[in-house]
Amino acid sequence: ALDIELDEGEVAELRALVVLQERRGERIGEHLVRAAEAWARARGAKILILRTSVTRPDAHRFYERVGFVQTRTART
């Protein structure tokens, strides 16, 4: 599943990316991220951001592996 939104301006937000546990390791998530990047770029976005729970260290490792950089941590 993939949920991406582009508001006014040059920032797109990747709001949800979920790959079934039994399909992880098949690079599906990486392909979805690349598709989201291409979608956002084609619509004029210069930045793609995402938010993920601090309770999901596996997701953090995945996003870092595909090129995202953690810039902030919030506990709300």
Side-chain angles (χ1 to χ4, degrees):
L2 180 66
D3 182 5
I4 186 169
E5 180 176 292
L6 180 64
D7 290 326
E8 292 181 38
E10 299 180 338
V11 178
E13 181 177 354
L14 179 58
R15 298 191 314 191
L17 185 139
V18 180
V19 175
L20 294 173
Q21 180 70 37
E22 60 268 17
R23 300 298 304 270
R24 293 182 187 164
E26 298 179 28
R27 301 185 72 182
I28 295 168
E30 183 177 348
H31 291 295
L32 288 171
V33 167
R34 301 299 174 230
E37 290 172 333
W39 180 92
R41 193 176 306 111
R43 286 158 181 79
K46 305 280 189 238
I47 299 169
L48 179 62
I49 63 169
L50 67 91
R51 302 173 205 281
T52 185
S53 172
V54 295
T55 63
R56 299 187 61 219
D58 290 344
H60 295 194
R61 285 190 294 276
F62 164 75
Y63 289 122
E64 289 172 358
R65 186 172 54 76
V66 297
F68 283 87
V69 176
Q70 182 175 336
T71 58
R72 188 172 87 179
T73 300
R75 298 184 190 281
T76 57

